[in-house]
Each structure stands twice: as C-alpha cells, then as structure tokens.
Amino acid sequence: MLASSQQLHLVLWQVEEEYQRQMGIAAQQQRTDAYMHTHTISGQALLDPTSRRQPYPSQNMVVKPAGFGLGRAGPEAISKVAARHPGTQATLADTVLLPSKYRNDMQADSLHSKAADSTRGFRDTSSTGAAPNSSPGTIADDDGTTTNTDDMAIGDEEALAAEGLITRDQERTAAATAGQTGGGRNSNKSSRESLPVAVLSKLEADKLAQAKVRHKAQVAQPKINFGRTFTGDAFIAEPAEVLFKDFVPGRTYKTSVQLINRSFTKNSIRLVEVPAEVMHVIELGLPPSGSLAPGAAAAMAVTFIPQANEDLTAGIRLLAETGPLTLPLRCLARTALPTLGPSPLVSLDGRAGGVMIADTAHATVTLCNRGALGVVYDIKVTGLLASTTEYDEPSQHLRMIAIDPHAADAPDAATDSGSRKGANAASLAVAGFRVQSIKGQVSGYGSCTIEVSFTPRVPGVVEVPLVVSYTAPENKALSIPQANLTLQATGKDLPVSTTTPLVDFR
C-alpha cells in the first residue's frame, strides 16, 4: 500500500510539473514573448496598447494588414511574413503584386544575396581562373568548354539559372540584351506573358463558363411590379451631364449629382469604375446607397483637379439592379469663340435697292465672343482692293483719352460692352465704304459693334471682301480661324428729270 501510494504521488507530481511547464504562468509568458518577437517589426515583447508611447502597436505589428497580398504592404511586413514561411523569400521579389518601389529594392537585395551565395556562374580570369579566351558573354563548364549566352534563348537561361550556372542578375541582363537586339526565340514576349498559367481541366472550364453566365444574369434583373416590367434606365441624373466649363489648371472644382430612382420598385446603384482617360484628374464619391425607394435619390460627389489646359470627355459607368447606365462627363477648357453677326454678308442697299450718289447708308456688324478668353481682332481688306485701301489711325488726342480715360478734357462717350476703343479704334476707307473700329479687343462673353457706312461716288454695284483675324492674348498657343466678311452695296443715280427733254425758244 505504501509503495502504491508513493507511486501515485510521483505520478501526480509529474503531471503537475508537466502542466506547469506547458500551461503555467512562465510558459504562457514565454509563448507570449515568442509571439511578440515574431509578430513585431522591431522584435519587442512589450508594447503600450494605449499608444501613448512609441513604438505604436499599429505601426509595429506585422499581423497581415488589409493591403497584404494586394501590393500595398511594406517590405518589413513582407519580410516578417516570409520569415514564418520558409521557401517563399525567393518568390517575393518576383511577384507582380508587390509595388514597384518595394519590388526593385527586394530584387536588388535578392540579387546581391544570390551573387554572394552562388559558387558557380560567370567566371572571369581574375577570380576563378577560367579559360583566358572566355568573354563576358560566355560561361565555362566543368569540362572546360564555354557557352555563348548571347545565343541562348530566355528559357535556356532560366534553366541555367535554376541549376545555379548563372545568377538571376545575369539572367535578367541577358534577357534585356536579347530583347533590345531582337535575339532569342521569346525575345518579343513580355515578362508578363512568360508567367506560368495554370491549364484548366474540362470540369473547371465548364464551371467557369457557368459562373460567368450566372454573374451576367445577376447583374441585370428586370423589375416587375403588378405585372408591369420596367424598361430603360432605372436612375435619372440631375443634372443629366457633369460639365466643368472654363476651368483653370491647378484649381479644384467640385459638384454633386443626384441619382434619382425612377423604377417601379426599390433599387440600388453603385459606381463601377472611374474612366481611365480621366482617372488622374477626376475623383468620384458614391457611398453605398442601399435600397432606394422610387423617387429617392443618392448623391454622387465629383471632384475635378485639372492638370493641363485641354478638353476631356468620358462616361461615368454606373450599375443598378436593372442594368448598367452611363453618365456623360465633359471638361471644357477656357477658349475664345468669336462670331460675326447677323450675317457674313452685309448689304447696305436697303428697301430702295441702292444708295443714291452723295447719300450715305449705315449698317452695323456685331462681334460676339462666346468664350471665356478675351480676343483681339483685326479687320483688313483682301483681294484687288487691298492696295487701294486707306487706313486712318486715331488722333493723338484720342490716344491720350485711351491711356487716361478720366482726364478732365475727355468727352463723355458711350462704349459697347466688352469692347475697347481709343488707340485701337482705327478705321479704313475703300470704294466708298468706311469701317470703324477695325482693331479692338473683346472680353470673355462680351460683344462689340462695328459700324459700316457707304457713300457711293459712281453708280454701280460695289463688293468689298474683308478678313477678320483673331488672337487670344491669354493663350497665345490657341489657334482661332479667320472669318470672312463681305460688304455689298449699289450706287444709284440722282432721280432728277424734266418733263420735256427739249426746250425750244423759237
């Protein structure tokens, strides 16, 4: 009995000791320390959970973040995770999911480590005693023969690299050389095309095709309410088009679009993607709308930050339960759009069908600028009459008034909206026509009036072709086409006659 009791106490003591060794406070602390050493960047075992002291737990822990595997994880987190999974360090530097700024650094470190650990590779005469006639583009085998790497294909170089005959750095260099010179069987293939692709079995291919059909059927479902099937776009946009007009590069423009549910039943809408052609200047914000009742609306915020003075046109793709829809987007830069009115043909004949000699007829031409940039115009005569045109420059008094319009002796004069007279208010005279204000400037969305008069000297039809050229001082690179203007009038004899053509005094 005593022996069995002692043996029982011995067994209980061993069990208690094993329990304390595995589940005791010391064992738990050791496991906690080991976990902290492997899951922190700095290897610390103690962190302040209140984040009052550095290092902060959110910045020091390497628990896989939300961006891990999507190319947004830092190199410290990747190296820590790779350390817990032996054999993956070699593939991390080559993954396409790693950001380029991190991938290049890891590739450089990997190449340096491989070059240091490699025992065979390119052997030059100074380090390995290779054949004296070997060149930098050859490798030496164990039997003394040399192989020219310039004639190798990329696949052969990868095989040599896998066997350790050349390093990955030399493999990439040879592949780049082959791609530049056009050599090798696969020199025209990109690195992305050379990635291995798994071959799907017949069952996997069928399952994939069926999944695509189910997804396409679920994307757009008809809405039926009391036997009526809704057709058309389920949402209408207010405004119907996102328009940013007369923008200035560098500034920020914001607007909001209301997406109103016009279907028969509740519906939801979401943003598919930002158009690729405007994704560098456009930011779209559409929170999850949930189920919207008929007539309810979801607000989409649009932010535009232009970088260049150029027009942009795209379509914002949206997806509702009844199908996709597109919202037009236009970004129009500031420009100048001058127009002449009411017609490019100005006739001064009037109702009488002409102008009597020594009489004067008047007409006006309106020059409108439908753009935001100011435009400078210049009117000249073209054709055979250009050499007979007389240009009248403004007097010195008018120039002084233009420079200082608030002078005491300056007469009051009404000026047209958007026009500038004075030093630019020159005129021309040709073939009985006189055109005032042939030079001037029209501001953005402004207009000015050009006066035309005709005083015939001889009877007959007179036609004078004019050309109006434009320039935009605020954007000298902007090319504005010229406009043609034609002046037309008819001179008529004086209506003076006698009752009898002959008076006889016999």
Side-chain angles (χ1 to χ4, degrees):
M1 290 294 294
L2 182 60
S4 60
S5 177
Q6 292 178 352
Q7 187 176 5
L8 179 60
H9 284 292
L10 179 61
V11 172
L12 293 176
W13 179 80
Q14 290 177 353
V15 171
E16 181 67 20
E17 185 180 6
E18 183 67 22
Y19 175 80
Q20 292 295 335
R21 185 168 59 249
Q22 294 185 5
M23 302 298 296
I25 298 177
Q28 294 180 7
Q29 186 64 34
Q30 290 179 0
R31 286 195 295 270
T32 302
D33 293 345
Y35 178 85
M36 294 296 292
H37 283 302
T38 57
H39 286 74
T40 56
I41 297 176
S42 60
Q44 292 185 355
L46 182 63
L47 294 174
D48 184 5
T50 62
S51 298
R52 295 179 180 177
R53 302 180 61 183
Q54 293 184 356
Y56 302 124
S58 61
Q59 299 178 355
N60 200 25
M61 295 298 293
V62 291
V63 177
K64 293 181 182 179
F68 189 87
L70 300 177
R72 298 196 297 266
E76 297 86 356
I78 294 177
S79 60
K80 280 288 185 178
V81 174
R84 298 201 300 268
H85 302 278
T88 60
Q89 183 66 28
T91 60
L92 284 175
D94 299 331
T95 178
V96 295
L97 297 179
L98 199 64
S100 58
K101 60 181 180 179
Y102 297 144
R103 182 168 64 247
N104 296 335
D105 297 338
M106 294 191 68
Q107 285 178 353
D109 297 340
S110 176
L111 293 177
H112 287 305
S113 60
K114 289 179 181 178
D117 297 339
S118 178
T119 56
R120 290 186 300 177
F122 281 103
R123 304 174 182 176
D124 51 24
T125 57
S126 61
S127 58
T128 58
N133 295 331
S134 63
S135 62
T138 61
I139 58 175
D141 297 336
D142 293 338
D143 56 357
T145 61
T146 60
T147 304
N148 188 5
T149 59
D150 295 336
D151 298 334
M152 291 183 179
I154 298 178
D156 300 334
E157 293 165 356
E158 293 178 352
L160 291 176
E163 297 176 1
L165 296 179
I166 62 175
T167 64
R168 289 287 180 182
D169 193 8
Q170 297 163 350
E171 174 196 354
R172 292 189 180 90
T173 304
T177 305
Q180 293 176 358
T181 58
R185 296 190 303 270
N186 301 327
S187 59
N188 58 341
K189 294 184 178 180
S190 63
S191 60
R192 190 176 297 274
E193 294 176 346
S194 63
L195 294 175
V197 179
V199 180
L200 299 179
S201 62
K202 186 178 185 304
L203 177 62
E204 293 173 339
D206 293 341
K207 292 292 185 182
L208 180 60
Q210 296 174 5
K212 290 181 178 180
V213 173
R214 290 195 303 269
H215 175 72
K216 186 176 181 180
Q218 293 175 358
V219 167
Q221 299 178 354
K223 290 289 185 178
I224 302 176
N225 187 25
F226 293 102
R228 297 184 304 170
T229 303
F230 178 80
T231 58
D233 294 337
F235 285 82
I236 57 175
E238 181 64 34
E241 179 187 32
V242 181
L243 177 62
F244 294 98
K245 190 176 181 181
D246 301 333
F247 62 83
V248 178
R251 296 184 181 179
T252 301
Y253 301 88
K254 296 182 180 181
T255 187
S256 179
V257 180
Q258 298 293 325
L259 303 173
I260 305 173
N261 180 16
R262 60 184 291 264
S263 60
F264 300 147
T265 59
K266 62 182 181 179
N267 208 330
S268 62
I269 189 170
R270 65 182 179 90
L271 177 65
V272 177
E273 61 180 357
V274 181
E277 55 269 24
V278 296
M279 65 183 306
H280 59 291
V281 294
I282 288 291
E283 296 180 3
L284 301 177
L286 180 60
S289 62
S291 296
L292 298 175
M300 180 178 65
V302 184
T303 304
F304 177 46
I305 307 177
Q307 304 296 333
N309 211 355
E310 59 182 5
D311 297 343
L312 298 175
T313 304
I316 302 175
R317 296 177 55 191
L318 303 170
L319 182 61
E321 295 180 12
T322 54
L325 60 150
T326 303
L327 179 63
L329 170 67
R330 287 196 305 159
C331 305
L332 303 179
R334 295 197 307 166
T335 185
L337 299 174
T339 58
L340 291 173
S343 172
L345 178 61
V346 181
S347 177
L348 283 81
D349 289 341
R351 297 181 179 180
V355 182
M356 299 299 175
I357 296 178
D359 194 5
T360 302
H362 299 274
T364 57
V365 178
T366 303
L367 195 157
C368 297
N369 184 10
R370 304 183 186 275
L373 293 179
V375 63
V376 175
Y377 67 92
D378 187 8
I379 302 176
K380 293 184 179 180
V381 180
T382 61
L384 300 177
L385 296 177
S387 58
T388 61
T389 305
E390 298 179 359
Y391 292 94
D392 297 334
E393 294 295 333
S395 62
Q396 184 68 22
H397 178 67
L398 290 178
R399 293 180 182 177
M400 292 178 61
I401 295 175
I403 296 174
D404 187 8
H406 301 288
D409 56 345
D412 295 335
T415 57
D416 297 323
S417 172
S419 64
R420 181 181 300 177
K421 297 184 178 181
N424 293 328
S427 62
L428 63 85
V430 56
F433 285 98
R434 178 168 291 276
V435 183
Q436 303 289 341
S437 304
I438 62 174
K439 295 181 180 180
Q441 181 172 352
V442 183
S443 61
Y445 298 107
S447 63
C448 71
T449 301
I450 302 172
E451 299 179 358
V452 180
S453 61
F454 177 63
T455 304
R457 302 172 183 174
V458 294
V461 178
V462 182
E463 187 172 316
V464 177
L466 303 177
V467 60
V468 185
S469 57
Y470 305 101
T471 56
E474 300 181 31
N475 188 3
K476 296 183 179 180
L478 181 63
S479 178
I480 306 176
Q482 296 179 345
N484 294 322
L485 185 66
T486 303
L487 306 180
Q488 187 179 30
T490 303
K492 297 178 64 176
D493 288 331
L494 293 175
V496 178
S497 61
T498 59
T499 56
T500 57
L502 179 62
V503 178
D504 190 1
F505 290 96
R506 289 184 299 174

